[in-house]
Amino acid sequence: MAMQTATADIADLISRCSLRDRQAFRTLYQRTSAKLFGVVLRILRNRAEAEEAIQEVYIKIWQRSDRYVAGQYSPISWLVAIARNHALDMLRARRPPADDLDGALEIADAGPDPERLTASSQDGARIEACLAELEPDRAEAVRGAYLDGYSYEELAQRHAVPLNTMRTWLRRSLIKLRECLTA
């Protein structure tokens, strides 16, 4: 029920933004910026670009808030789509135009070599093994916070625990992960 209330609140904030309600926009930013920043950062893989992009995303949200149709889409899905599309547009703009494809054949592969790929996959396997040692709900919370970009508040609601409990779960889980990875 709390998740439905949060969804309705966000939908209401978007509709109030379409009426140019600055306080609603400020509240919308406070409630959703962490998640949208996580989405943009995951795509761009550059914190400075992601910080610039998130500002542009919220300008688009402000300008297009009248296009949101409550009930047609989840408000979070609508916001994430704007952020994702903007980040993808930035990625496309980053790429140089492909004028000479024959010249591209002579460019060295900048990707990791097989040795680095193996080491990377081994690191990933170690992290997954250490996550498996955590209690399942703690591991899910860590993945949600650090891989999916959920805020502590969203995770607390999702797991039906107080916010401070969620913070404690994440802090203790990270300590256990560090101990596991350094062992």
Side-chain angles (χ1 to χ4, degrees), residues 128-176:
E128 282 300 321
C130 289
L131 279 169
E133 290 182 17
L134 297 175
E135 296 176 37
D137 53 353
R138 294 344 186 240
E140 183 181 334
V142 169
R143 284 186 183 98
Y146 299 102
L147 299 178
D148 298 330
Y150 289 110
S151 69
Y152 289 0
E153 188 175 321
E154 290 171 318
L155 290 168
Q157 289 175 353
R158 178 173 283 191
H159 290 274
V161 297
L163 180 59
N164 285 335
T165 300
M166 181 53 62
R167 288 184 176 134
T168 302
W169 281 13
L170 291 170
R171 184 173 40 82
R172 288 180 181 167
S173 296
L174 290 177
I175 291 169
K176 287 180 182 178

Side-chain angles (χ1 to χ4, degrees):
M1 188 59 129
M3 193 63 104
Q4 288 176 338
T5 304
T7 300
D9 288 348
I10 292 172
D12 180 57
L13 290 170
I14 293 170
S15 68
R16 287 176 39 208
C17 287
S18 70
L19 301 172
R20 301 300 176 235
D21 181 338
R22 290 175 184 258
Q23 182 58 43
F25 184 68
R26 187 175 296 114
T27 304
L28 180 69
Y29 179 85
Q30 290 169 345
R31 290 192 185 172
T32 60
S33 62
K35 179 169 187 65
L36 297 186
F37 182 75
V39 169
V40 170
L41 181 59
R42 225 172 333 181
I43 293 170
L44 296 176
R45 297 182 180 176
N46 179 305
R47 188 169 196 83
E49 281 185 337
E51 288 170 354
E52 181 181 327
I54 202 70
Q55 291 178 10
E56 295 167 2
V57 164
Y58 276 94
I59 290 170
K60 286 183 178 184
I61 291 169
W62 176 256
Q63 293 171 339
R64 300 176 184 176
S65 57
D66 60 330
R67 297 182 190 171
Y68 174 71
V69 179
Q72 186 174 3
Y73 303 104
S74 154
I76 289 292
S77 298
W78 186 76
L79 295 170
V80 167
I82 292 173
R84 180 182 171 279
N85 291 341
H86 183 75
L88 291 173
D89 289 345
M90 287 183 71
L91 272 182
R92 288 184 199 108
R94 206 192 281 170
R95 293 187 194 136
D99 291 335
D100 184 15
L101 293 179
D102 292 331
L105 295 174
E106 297 177 22
I107 297 174
D109 183 5
D113 57 40
E115 184 178 335
R116 285 192 184 186
L117 280 175
T118 302
S120 176
S121 67
Q122 289 172 347
D123 288 344
R126 284 183 56 218
I127 291 170
E128 282 300 321
C130 289
L131 279 169
E133 290 182 17
L134 297 175
E135 296 176 37
D137 53 353
R138 294 344 186 240
E140 183 181 334
V142 169
R143 284 186 183 98
Y146 299 102
L147 299 178
D148 298 330
Y150 289 110
S151 69
Y152 289 0
E153 188 175 321
E154 290 171 318
L155 290 168
Q157 289 175 353
R158 178 173 283 191
H159 290 274
V161 297
L163 180 59
N164 285 335
T165 300
M166 181 53 62
R167 288 184 176 134
T168 302
W169 281 13
L170 291 170
R171 184 173 40 82
R172 288 180 181 167
S173 296
L174 290 177
I175 291 169
K176 287 180 182 178
L177 285 173
R178 185 176 352 136
E179 289 171 356
C180 178
L181 290 170
T182 57

